[in-house]
mmCIF file of all heavy atoms in Angstrom:
data_model
loop_
_atom_site.group_PDB
_atom_site.id
_atom_site.type_symbol
_atom_site.label_atom_id
_atom_site.label_comp_id
_atom_site.label_asym_id
_atom_site.label_seq_id
_atom_site.Cartn_x
_atom_site.Cartn_y
_atom_site.Cartn_z
ATOM 1 N N MET A 1 -8.717 14.151 17.597
ATOM 2 C CA MET A 1 -7.329 13.674 17.451
ATOM 3 C C MET A 1 -6.480 14.167 18.635
ATOM 4 O O MET A 1 -6.586 15.328 19.019
ATOM 5 C CB MET A 1 -6.760 14.206 16.121
ATOM 6 C CG MET A 1 -5.488 13.519 15.700
ATOM 7 S SD MET A 1 -4.874 14.112 14.099
ATOM 8 C CE MET A 1 -5.819 13.130 12.973
ATOM 9 N N THR A 2 -5.656 13.301 19.222
ATOM 10 C CA THR A 2 -4.810 13.703 20.354
ATOM 11 C C THR A 2 -3.624 14.545 19.860
ATOM 12 O O THR A 2 -3.329 14.583 18.655
ATOM 13 C CB THR A 2 -4.228 12.473 21.082
ATOM 14 O OG1 THR A 2 -3.312 11.823 20.183
ATOM 15 C CG2 THR A 2 -5.310 11.488 21.506
ATOM 16 N N GLY A 3 -2.964 15.186 20.814
ATOM 17 C CA GLY A 3 -1.799 15.994 20.461
ATOM 18 C C GLY A 3 -0.709 15.168 19.806
ATOM 19 O O GLY A 3 -0.069 15.612 18.835
ATOM 20 N N ILE A 4 -0.483 13.958 20.313
ATOM 21 C CA ILE A 4 0.558 13.098 19.718
ATOM 22 C C ILE A 4 0.172 12.706 18.291
ATOM 23 O O ILE A 4 1.007 12.742 17.379
ATOM 24 C CB ILE A 4 0.802 11.839 20.584
ATOM 25 C CG1 ILE A 4 1.540 12.233 21.859
ATOM 26 C CG2 ILE A 4 1.587 10.788 19.817
ATOM 27 C CD1 ILE A 4 1.871 11.092 22.777
ATOM 28 N N GLU A 5 -1.092 12.365 18.081
ATOM 29 C CA GLU A 5 -1.535 12.000 16.727
ATOM 30 C C GLU A 5 -1.339 13.173 15.773
ATOM 31 O O GLU A 5 -0.867 12.981 14.638
ATOM 32 C CB GLU A 5 -3.000 11.565 16.749
ATOM 33 C CG GLU A 5 -3.210 10.197 17.389
ATOM 34 C CD GLU A 5 -4.664 9.889 17.700
ATOM 35 O OE1 GLU A 5 -5.528 10.775 17.539
ATOM 36 O OE2 GLU A 5 -4.933 8.761 18.134
ATOM 37 N N GLU A 6 -1.693 14.374 16.236
ATOM 38 C CA GLU A 6 -1.511 15.557 15.377
ATOM 39 C C GLU A 6 -0.044 15.775 15.044
ATOM 40 O O GLU A 6 0.320 16.088 13.907
ATOM 41 C CB GLU A 6 -2.066 16.802 16.075
ATOM 42 C CG GLU A 6 -3.536 16.997 15.815
ATOM 43 C CD GLU A 6 -4.110 18.210 16.532
ATOM 44 O OE1 GLU A 6 -3.358 19.176 16.786
ATOM 45 O OE2 GLU A 6 -5.304 18.173 16.837
ATOM 46 N N LEU A 7 0.813 15.602 16.070
ATOM 47 C CA LEU A 7 2.258 15.774 15.852
ATOM 48 C C LEU A 7 2.762 14.762 14.822
ATOM 49 O O LEU A 7 3.470 15.128 13.864
ATOM 50 C CB LEU A 7 3.008 15.599 17.182
ATOM 51 C CG LEU A 7 4.530 15.574 17.106
ATOM 52 C CD1 LEU A 7 5.072 16.906 16.589
ATOM 53 C CD2 LEU A 7 5.133 15.244 18.475
ATOM 54 N N LEU A 8 2.387 13.489 15.000
ATOM 55 C CA LEU A 8 2.869 12.441 14.085
ATOM 56 C C LEU A 8 2.371 12.698 12.658
ATOM 57 O O LEU A 8 3.157 12.642 11.704
ATOM 58 C CB LEU A 8 2.405 11.063 14.570
ATOM 59 C CG LEU A 8 2.952 10.617 15.933
ATOM 60 C CD1 LEU A 8 2.344 9.279 16.333
ATOM 61 C CD2 LEU A 8 4.472 10.542 15.938
ATOM 62 N N LEU A 9 1.076 12.989 12.537
ATOM 63 C CA LEU A 9 0.498 13.215 11.206
ATOM 64 C C LEU A 9 1.165 14.392 10.502
ATOM 65 O O LEU A 9 1.410 14.352 9.287
ATOM 66 C CB LEU A 9 -1.012 13.448 11.343
ATOM 67 C CG LEU A 9 -1.815 13.465 10.048
ATOM 68 C CD1 LEU A 9 -1.675 12.136 9.299
ATOM 69 C CD2 LEU A 9 -3.287 13.750 10.336
ATOM 70 N N SER A 10 1.490 15.436 11.289
ATOM 71 C CA SER A 10 2.084 16.634 10.688
ATOM 72 C C SER A 10 3.495 16.372 10.157
ATOM 73 O O SER A 10 4.019 17.176 9.385
ATOM 74 C CB SER A 10 2.139 17.769 11.715
ATOM 75 O OG SER A 10 3.155 17.515 12.672
ATOM 76 N N ARG A 11 4.106 15.269 10.578
ATOM 77 C CA ARG A 11 5.477 14.966 10.151
ATOM 78 C C ARG A 11 5.536 13.864 9.095
ATOM 79 O O ARG A 11 6.601 13.329 8.806
ATOM 80 C CB ARG A 11 6.325 14.548 11.362
ATOM 81 C CG ARG A 11 6.472 15.611 12.418
ATOM 82 C CD ARG A 11 7.223 16.834 11.899
ATOM 83 N NE ARG A 11 7.473 17.777 12.972
ATOM 84 C CZ ARG A 11 6.648 18.755 13.330
ATOM 85 N NH1 ARG A 11 5.506 18.936 12.672
ATOM 86 N NH2 ARG A 11 6.956 19.561 14.331
ATOM 87 N N ILE A 12 4.388 13.483 8.521
ATOM 88 C CA ILE A 12 4.363 12.505 7.430
ATOM 89 C C ILE A 12 4.072 13.252 6.134
ATOM 90 O O ILE A 12 3.108 14.020 6.057
ATOM 91 C CB ILE A 12 3.297 11.421 7.692
ATOM 92 C CG1 ILE A 12 3.681 10.617 8.939
ATOM 93 C CG2 ILE A 12 3.162 10.495 6.479
ATOM 94 C CD1 ILE A 12 2.558 9.779 9.502
ATOM 95 N N ARG A 13 4.937 13.008 5.150
ATOM 96 C CA ARG A 13 4.817 13.745 3.883
ATOM 97 C C ARG A 13 4.184 12.851 2.816
ATOM 98 O O ARG A 13 4.625 11.705 2.640
ATOM 99 C CB ARG A 13 6.217 14.178 3.431
ATOM 100 C CG ARG A 13 6.250 14.857 2.082
ATOM 101 C CD ARG A 13 7.605 15.459 1.785
ATOM 102 N NE ARG A 13 8.697 14.505 2.028
ATOM 103 C CZ ARG A 13 9.985 14.822 1.901
ATOM 104 N NH1 ARG A 13 10.341 16.042 1.568
ATOM 105 N NH2 ARG A 13 10.907 13.912 2.118
ATOM 106 N N ASP A 14 3.186 13.373 2.132
ATOM 107 C CA ASP A 14 2.561 12.639 1.021
ATOM 108 C C ASP A 14 3.337 12.907 -0.263
ATOM 109 O O ASP A 14 3.557 14.075 -0.617
ATOM 110 C CB ASP A 14 1.120 13.111 0.815
ATOM 111 C CG ASP A 14 0.178 12.540 1.858
ATOM 112 O OD1 ASP A 14 0.620 11.710 2.677
ATOM 113 O OD2 ASP A 14 -1.002 12.926 1.854
ATOM 114 N N VAL A 15 3.728 11.845 -0.941
ATOM 115 C CA VAL A 15 4.421 11.978 -2.232
ATOM 116 C C VAL A 15 3.589 11.238 -3.278
ATOM 117 O O VAL A 15 3.485 10.001 -3.237
ATOM 118 C CB VAL A 15 5.846 11.391 -2.172
ATOM 119 C CG1 VAL A 15 6.576 11.600 -3.497
ATOM 120 C CG2 VAL A 15 6.639 12.004 -1.023
ATOM 121 N N ALA A 16 2.982 11.992 -4.193
ATOM 122 C CA ALA A 16 2.105 11.388 -5.207
ATOM 123 C C ALA A 16 2.918 10.634 -6.254
ATOM 124 O O ALA A 16 4.028 11.033 -6.611
ATOM 125 C CB ALA A 16 1.273 12.482 -5.880
ATOM 126 N N ASP A 17 2.336 9.521 -6.711
ATOM 127 C CA ASP A 17 2.891 8.731 -7.825
ATOM 128 C C ASP A 17 4.296 8.220 -7.546
ATOM 129 O O ASP A 17 5.138 8.178 -8.443
ATOM 130 C CB ASP A 17 2.853 9.554 -9.117
ATOM 131 C CG ASP A 17 1.429 9.933 -9.490
ATOM 132 O OD1 ASP A 17 0.522 9.089 -9.324
ATOM 133 O OD2 ASP A 17 1.215 11.088 -9.917
ATOM 134 N N TYR A 18 4.565 7.814 -6.303
ATOM 135 C CA TYR A 18 5.838 7.186 -5.934
ATOM 136 C C TYR A 18 5.534 5.901 -5.173
ATOM 137 O O TYR A 18 4.671 5.927 -4.283
ATOM 138 C CB TYR A 18 6.676 8.121 -5.049
ATOM 139 C CG TYR A 18 8.016 7.498 -4.689
ATOM 140 C CD1 TYR A 18 9.132 7.665 -5.509
ATOM 141 C CD2 TYR A 18 8.140 6.690 -3.556
ATOM 142 C CE1 TYR A 18 10.331 7.048 -5.203
ATOM 143 C CE2 TYR A 18 9.348 6.079 -3.246
ATOM 144 C CZ TYR A 18 10.431 6.261 -4.072
ATOM 145 O OH TYR A 18 11.616 5.645 -3.767
ATOM 146 N N PRO A 19 6.215 4.816 -5.495
ATOM 147 C CA PRO A 19 7.266 4.616 -6.500
ATOM 148 C C PRO A 19 6.726 4.342 -7.900
ATOM 149 O O PRO A 19 7.528 4.082 -8.796
ATOM 150 C CB PRO A 19 8.017 3.389 -5.960
ATOM 151 C CG PRO A 19 6.966 2.587 -5.268
ATOM 152 C CD PRO A 19 6.017 3.587 -4.680
ATOM 153 N N GLU A 20 5.384 4.393 -8.040
ATOM 154 C CA GLU A 20 4.821 4.208 -9.388
ATOM 155 C C GLU A 20 3.508 4.977 -9.466
ATOM 156 O O GLU A 20 2.927 5.330 -8.424
ATOM 157 C CB GLU A 20 4.619 2.721 -9.699
ATOM 158 C CG GLU A 20 3.679 2.006 -8.772
ATOM 159 C CD GLU A 20 3.598 0.505 -9.084
ATOM 160 O OE1 GLU A 20 4.640 -0.112 -9.357
ATOM 161 O OE2 GLU A 20 2.481 -0.020 -9.072
ATOM 162 N N PRO A 21 3.017 5.280 -10.686
ATOM 163 C CA PRO A 21 1.791 6.068 -10.828
ATOM 164 C C PRO A 21 0.634 5.454 -10.050
ATOM 165 O O PRO A 21 0.462 4.239 -10.030
ATOM 166 C CB PRO A 21 1.524 6.033 -12.342
ATOM 167 C CG PRO A 21 2.861 5.801 -12.960
ATOM 168 C CD PRO A 21 3.618 4.933 -11.987
ATOM 169 N N GLY A 22 -0.142 6.327 -9.382
ATOM 170 C CA GLY A 22 -1.321 5.879 -8.657
ATOM 171 C C GLY A 22 -1.088 5.610 -7.189
ATOM 172 O O GLY A 22 -2.049 5.462 -6.429
ATOM 173 N N VAL A 23 0.163 5.538 -6.758
ATOM 174 C CA VAL A 23 0.458 5.301 -5.336
ATOM 175 C C VAL A 23 0.719 6.637 -4.651
ATOM 176 O O VAL A 23 1.502 7.453 -5.137
ATOM 177 C CB VAL A 23 1.696 4.379 -5.166
ATOM 178 C CG1 VAL A 23 2.054 4.240 -3.681
ATOM 179 C CG2 VAL A 23 1.439 3.020 -5.791
ATOM 180 N N MET A 24 0.040 6.874 -3.512
ATOM 181 C CA MET A 24 0.333 8.031 -2.662
ATOM 182 C C MET A 24 1.275 7.548 -1.566
ATOM 183 O O MET A 24 0.850 6.898 -0.606
ATOM 184 C CB MET A 24 -0.960 8.598 -2.056
ATOM 185 C CG MET A 24 -0.729 9.788 -1.150
ATOM 186 S SD MET A 24 0.015 11.193 -1.992
ATOM 187 C CE MET A 24 -1.391 11.805 -2.928
ATOM 188 N N PHE A 25 2.554 7.855 -1.716
ATOM 189 C CA PHE A 25 3.563 7.339 -0.792
ATOM 190 C C PHE A 25 3.580 8.175 0.478
ATOM 191 O O PHE A 25 3.613 9.399 0.437
ATOM 192 C CB PHE A 25 4.941 7.366 -1.459
ATOM 193 C CG PHE A 25 5.995 6.641 -0.659
ATOM 194 C CD1 PHE A 25 6.128 5.268 -0.742
ATOM 195 C CD2 PHE A 25 6.847 7.349 0.184
ATOM 196 C CE1 PHE A 25 7.103 4.599 0.000
ATOM 197 C CE2 PHE A 25 7.818 6.693 0.918
ATOM 198 C CZ PHE A 25 7.948 5.313 0.828
ATOM 199 N N LYS A 26 3.565 7.493 1.628
ATOM 200 C CA LYS A 26 3.610 8.133 2.948
ATOM 201 C C LYS A 26 5.055 8.111 3.431
ATOM 202 O O LYS A 26 5.549 7.065 3.874
ATOM 203 C CB LYS A 26 2.704 7.378 3.923
ATOM 204 C CG LYS A 26 1.249 7.347 3.495
ATOM 205 C CD LYS A 26 0.640 8.722 3.650
ATOM 206 C CE LYS A 26 -0.830 8.748 3.275
ATOM 207 N NZ LYS A 26 -1.418 10.067 3.412
ATOM 208 N N ASP A 27 5.697 9.250 3.353
ATOM 209 C CA ASP A 27 7.131 9.373 3.650
ATOM 210 C C ASP A 27 7.313 9.762 5.119
ATOM 211 O O ASP A 27 6.898 10.852 5.540
ATOM 212 C CB ASP A 27 7.715 10.435 2.722
ATOM 213 C CG ASP A 27 9.186 10.687 2.982
ATOM 214 O OD1 ASP A 27 9.857 9.815 3.584
ATOM 215 O OD2 ASP A 27 9.671 11.773 2.586
ATOM 216 N N ILE A 28 7.975 8.880 5.883
ATOM 217 C CA ILE A 28 8.155 9.145 7.326
ATOM 218 C C ILE A 28 9.475 9.833 7.643
ATOM 219 O O ILE A 28 9.771 10.081 8.812
ATOM 220 C CB ILE A 28 8.039 7.856 8.165
ATOM 221 C CG1 ILE A 28 9.165 6.862 7.829
ATOM 222 C CG2 ILE A 28 6.659 7.229 8.006
ATOM 223 C CD1 ILE A 28 9.316 5.739 8.858
ATOM 224 N N THR A 29 10.273 10.173 6.634
ATOM 225 C CA THR A 29 11.588 10.757 6.952
ATOM 226 C C THR A 29 11.485 12.094 7.695
ATOM 227 O O THR A 29 12.329 12.359 8.562
ATOM 228 C CB THR A 29 12.493 10.871 5.703
ATOM 229 O OG1 THR A 29 11.855 11.679 4.717
ATOM 230 C CG2 THR A 29 12.812 9.508 5.124
ATOM 231 N N PRO A 30 10.461 12.938 7.428
ATOM 232 C CA PRO A 30 10.375 14.168 8.255
ATOM 233 C C PRO A 30 10.122 13.851 9.727
ATOM 234 O O PRO A 30 10.642 14.539 10.612
ATOM 235 C CB PRO A 30 9.190 14.917 7.632
ATOM 236 C CG PRO A 30 9.092 14.401 6.217
ATOM 237 C CD PRO A 30 9.468 12.960 6.320
ATOM 238 N N LEU A 31 9.349 12.802 9.984
ATOM 239 C CA LEU A 31 9.086 12.393 11.377
ATOM 240 C C LEU A 31 10.385 11.915 12.042
ATOM 241 O O LEU A 31 10.680 12.272 13.199
ATOM 242 C CB LEU A 31 8.026 11.296 11.377
ATOM 243 C CG LEU A 31 7.401 10.874 12.697
ATOM 244 C CD1 LEU A 31 6.084 10.146 12.439
ATOM 245 C CD2 LEU A 31 8.304 9.994 13.528
ATOM 246 N N LEU A 32 11.166 11.113 11.322
ATOM 247 C CA LEU A 32 12.416 10.587 11.884
ATOM 248 C C LEU A 32 13.390 11.717 12.196
ATOM 249 O O LEU A 32 14.201 11.616 13.126
ATOM 250 C CB LEU A 32 13.065 9.597 10.909
ATOM 251 C CG LEU A 32 12.216 8.388 10.506
ATOM 252 C CD1 LEU A 32 12.952 7.566 9.453
ATOM 253 C CD2 LEU A 32 11.879 7.521 11.713
ATOM 254 N N ALA A 33 13.326 12.784 11.418
ATOM 255 C CA ALA A 33 14.261 13.904 11.595
ATOM 256 C C ALA A 33 13.858 14.826 12.738
ATOM 257 O O ALA A 33 14.627 15.715 13.105
ATOM 258 C CB ALA A 33 14.346 14.698 10.287
ATOM 259 N N ASP A 34 12.657 14.629 13.281
ATOM 260 C CA ASP A 34 12.153 15.483 14.368
ATOM 261 C C ASP A 34 12.258 14.702 15.683
ATOM 262 O O ASP A 34 11.488 13.764 15.911
ATOM 263 C CB ASP A 34 10.697 15.844 14.072
ATOM 264 C CG ASP A 34 10.081 16.691 15.178
ATOM 265 O OD1 ASP A 34 10.614 16.710 16.309
ATOM 266 O OD2 ASP A 34 9.045 17.318 14.917
ATOM 267 N N PRO A 35 13.184 15.055 16.578
ATOM 268 C CA PRO A 35 13.383 14.236 17.783
ATOM 269 C C PRO A 35 12.147 14.154 18.670
ATOM 270 O O PRO A 35 11.902 13.109 19.284
ATOM 271 C CB PRO A 35 14.560 14.911 18.498
ATOM 272 C CG PRO A 35 14.770 16.216 17.828
ATOM 273 C CD PRO A 35 14.150 16.154 16.468
ATOM 274 N N ALA A 36 11.354 15.226 18.739
ATOM 275 C CA ALA A 36 10.148 15.177 19.590
ATOM 276 C C ALA A 36 9.151 14.163 19.027
ATOM 277 O O ALA A 36 8.558 13.361 19.769
ATOM 278 C CB ALA A 36 9.519 16.562 19.686
ATOM 279 N N ALA A 37 8.960 14.187 17.708
ATOM 280 C CA ALA A 37 8.001 13.269 17.089
ATOM 281 C C ALA A 37 8.505 11.826 17.155
ATOM 282 O O ALA A 37 7.742 10.902 17.473
ATOM 283 C CB ALA A 37 7.750 13.683 15.632
ATOM 284 N N PHE A 38 9.790 11.621 16.871
ATOM 285 C CA PHE A 38 10.346 10.256 16.872
ATOM 286 C C PHE A 38 10.314 9.685 18.293
ATOM 287 O O PHE A 38 9.999 8.501 18.504
ATOM 288 C CB PHE A 38 11.774 10.290 16.306
ATOM 289 C CG PHE A 38 12.334 8.957 15.883
ATOM 290 C CD1 PHE A 38 11.564 7.804 15.854
ATOM 291 C CD2 PHE A 38 13.665 8.879 15.493
ATOM 292 C CE1 PHE A 38 12.103 6.584 15.454
ATOM 293 C CE2 PHE A 38 14.220 7.667 15.090
ATOM 294 C CZ PHE A 38 13.442 6.519 15.072
ATOM 295 N N THR A 39 10.590 10.523 19.293
ATOM 296 C CA THR A 39 10.545 10.056 20.684
ATOM 297 C C THR A 39 9.108 9.722 21.088
ATOM 298 O O THR A 39 8.859 8.687 21.731
ATOM 299 C CB THR A 39 11.129 11.129 21.621
ATOM 300 O OG1 THR A 39 12.474 11.379 21.222
ATOM 301 C CG2 THR A 39 11.101 10.674 23.070
ATOM 302 N N ALA A 40 8.154 10.576 20.712
ATOM 303 C CA ALA A 40 6.751 10.313 21.054
ATOM 304 C C ALA A 40 6.282 9.011 20.406
ATOM 305 O O ALA A 40 5.578 8.202 21.042
ATOM 306 C CB ALA A 40 5.874 11.483 20.598
#
Side-chain angles (χ1 to χ4, degrees):
M1 194 178 276
T2 67
I4 288 181
E5 287 167 354
E6 273 178 28
L7 173 63
L8 297 176
L9 190 59
S10 73
R11 298 296 186 271
I12 295 165
R13 176 171 49 183
D14 283 355
V15 183
D17 299 321
Y18 182 89
E20 61 184 42
V23 175
M24 179 61 75
F25 189 82
K26 300 289 182 180
D27 178 20
I28 64 165
T29 59
L31 191 161
L32 302 175
D34 178 341
F38 196 7
T39 301

